[in-house]
Every structure is written in structure tokens, then in C-alpha cells.
Amino acid sequence: MPEYFTRLKTPTDTVIHRFQANDFTEACRIAWSHARAAGAVPTATNLVEKFRLKAGERIVEQAGIPNAATALAENGPAAFEPLDLVARREICLLALRGLRLADTPHLRRLGHFLLDRTLWFWTADALVKGEYVRDAVKRELSALPHTEAAARAKSPSELRHEHAVPRKIVRKHLTSRHARWSDVAEDEAVAESAEVLDRCPPVLVTIEEDRKLGGKLRAGMGEDGSFEDPPFVRYERAGIVKSVDELHFPKDGLWTPEGRYRSSAGHR
């Protein structure tokens, strides 16, 4: 059984918990149990298999720490939920703010940075126990579309969180629609920006697969490609998959094979 570690920062200390789990998904749930017990705020990046202790860190060996069965019983079959309306709205407002800044010559880079970060918020974050958590599903196979090679990866450090539609393409598309949004009500602008972001799914690939996404496929959809292309076509063009059918879409995941964000009841 693989061994995992979770690094947690508490109000008074930074501690390392060591435990075993059948796979990464199970390890995530156990790590969340550790975090709740320690009163820490965890993120997906707390979970690693190889690490070096930093100054002031220590390994904590506790009797009665949560095991796989306990964690599964406490958390149920799915630990993550889609972003709710409040989180989605606030992320869209950040995107709109970034667009406004990008139109200001001396603040253009700040606007572009904010737009790029917005995509990470949309694809890597989720609700956990009803709370918004940064990077909650950044490398979570049970939540995001992924390749067969990614499913076989032995460690999350072997994975890359990749945007099926590159951020540069999304930013360009958002910018092309910004002029219209400046003349409509805020709620309408938020709804339309959400529609754009909902068409830009993340995909977990391996480091080796990510290297195939070079040249015109790194920041674009390929030769003569555009935002209107099918969202997963880059992986076909790069030779990572022969068709979208080869990608894995978790049953209770946050994205559909059509490349749409899957909102739970009342979250849209």
C-alpha cells in the first residue's frame, strides 16, 4: 500500500502526518481528516509522497489517526462539490475586473495576470464541506477529466493540471466580448463570462504528455485552431489520445465530456 504524507500548518506549528492509502483519492480524504483534527486549513498540494523537512517541521506519529475506512465513512463517496453561485459570481467579477484593467495601458499586465489566475480559480477550486477551497481539485483524479496515463501515475507530482483551451485563447475570447459587456447589466455580463469559462475544462495529464503540447499547441489550439474548436481537440492533435472517448470523465466529476462545467442542483 502506498505511503503518503500531508504537511499541515496549524496556528502554532507545521507538522507532517504519515499514513498509508490505497490510492491518491483515498489519501486525499484521509488528509482532510487529519486537517480537521489538527484545526488546519488544507489544500490539495499538502499531499505529497516525497518531501524534505523544512526548518521547524517535524513528523508526527499519532495513535488513532484516521485510517482509510474511517476517512471514507466520514467523508462519503465524494469529498468535493462544484462551485456554488456565490463563488462563481465572484470569480466572474474578477475576470471582468481583469478585462477592465487590461484596457488600461499602464495596467495591462496586471489585467492579464488577473484573467490568467481567474481560470485557475475556475478549474482548480471547489467546495469542500460547503467551504470554498483553493486548489481543492487541482490534481484530483476523481473530480477532473484525465488521461489513462494520468490514472496510472504513482504520485500527484507526476501530473500536470492542463487547460484544454489554453488561457491565452480564453483571454483573447473574453477580450473580444468585453466591449459588449460594458454596455449591459452586471448580471448579464457575469452570466456570459461564466458561459465562456464553463467551456474551458481542465485535464490532468502526465509530465510526458504535457511535453507533447508544444509549439502551436502550447498556447493555442493548433494550426488554424480557435476558441470555437471542440474543447479537447488539442489532445488529439498532439497524439495524446486518438479521440475524446479515451479520456476518463469521473462519474461524479466536475466536468462533462462535452467540456462543460457540471453544476450540482442549485449551483447554477
Side-chain angles (χ1 to χ4, degrees):
M1 183 177 291
E3 187 172 59
Y4 293 85
F5 305 87
T6 181
R7 177 182 282 113
L8 299 174
K9 291 184 178 181
T10 70
T12 58
D13 202 358
T14 299
V15 298
I16 303 294
H17 290 286
R18 178 163 48 198
F19 60 91
Q20 291 184 327
N22 289 317
D23 53 35
F24 180 59
T25 298
E26 185 177 83
C28 282
R29 295 170 185 168
I30 296 174
W32 280 103
S33 297
H34 284 307
R36 286 198 299 274
V41 178
T43 68
T45 55
N46 286 332
L47 212 61
V48 293
E49 288 186 304
K50 297 179 180 179
F51 70 96
R52 293 181 180 178
L53 289 177
K54 301 177 182 179
E57 292 183 343
R58 57 191 174 87
I59 294 179
V60 174
E61 302 287 0
Q62 291 181 314
I65 60 176
N67 56 28
T70 301
L72 290 173
E74 290 180 352
N75 293 293
F80 308 103
E81 299 174 9
L83 296 170
D84 61 11
L85 284 174
V86 174
R88 286 164 60 88
R89 178 180 177 81
E90 292 302 322
I91 293 172
C92 288
L93 289 173
L94 284 176
L96 293 172
R97 178 61 175 168
L99 289 168
R100 288 193 290 271
L101 291 174
D103 280 344
T104 306
H106 67 290
L107 295 175
R108 182 172 292 113
R109 289 185 178 179
L110 177 58
H112 288 173
F113 173 80
L114 189 54
L115 285 169
D116 286 345
R117 297 312 301 169
T118 296
L119 270 184
W120 282 108
F121 300 153
W122 202 265
T123 65
D125 303 352
L127 301 184
V128 180
K129 299 295 183 181
E131 295 289 333
Y132 174 85
V133 178
R134 283 286 296 118
D135 287 344
V137 295
K138 184 176 181 180
R139 293 187 177 90
E140 177 53 52
L141 292 168
S142 70
L144 304 184
H146 54 275
T147 63
E148 176 63 28
R152 296 196 304 266
K154 296 180 180 179
S155 165
S157 63
E158 299 177 13
L159 302 177
R160 287 289 183 270
H161 180 107
E162 224 276 321
H163 291 103
V165 181
R167 286 175 291 169
K168 183 177 180 179
I169 296 293
V170 180
R171 187 176 71 199
K172 183 178 179 180
H173 189 74
L174 287 170
T175 300
S176 71
R177 301 179 66 169
H178 182 224
R180 165 181 151 66
W181 291 338
S182 62
D183 296 328
V184 302
E186 184 177 87
D187 285 348
E188 187 175 349
V190 166
E192 291 191 14
S193 60
E195 181 182 353
V196 173
L197 296 177
D198 275 344
R199 294 178 57 193
C200 304
V203 177
L204 294 179
V205 300
T206 64
I207 294 175
E208 290 300 317
E209 290 173 328
D210 183 60
R211 290 179 180 140
K212 295 181 179 180
L213 294 165
K216 294 184 178 180
L217 290 172
R218 176 56 60 191
M221 300 298 288
E223 194 71 38
D224 298 324
S226 70
F227 181 84
E228 303 301 330
D229 286 353
F232 301 105
V233 72
R234 286 171 67 241
Y235 305 107
E236 296 180 27
R237 292 171 177 169
I240 294 174
V241 298
K242 293 181 179 179
S243 73
V244 67
D245 294 335
E246 293 183 11
L247 291 174
H248 294 265
F249 293 88
K251 179 181 178 182
D252 297 317
L254 303 187
W255 298 83
T256 71
E258 294 73 34
R260 296 284 185 171
Y261 190 76
R262 189 199 305 272
S263 296
S264 60
H267 284 187
R268 198 176 180 106

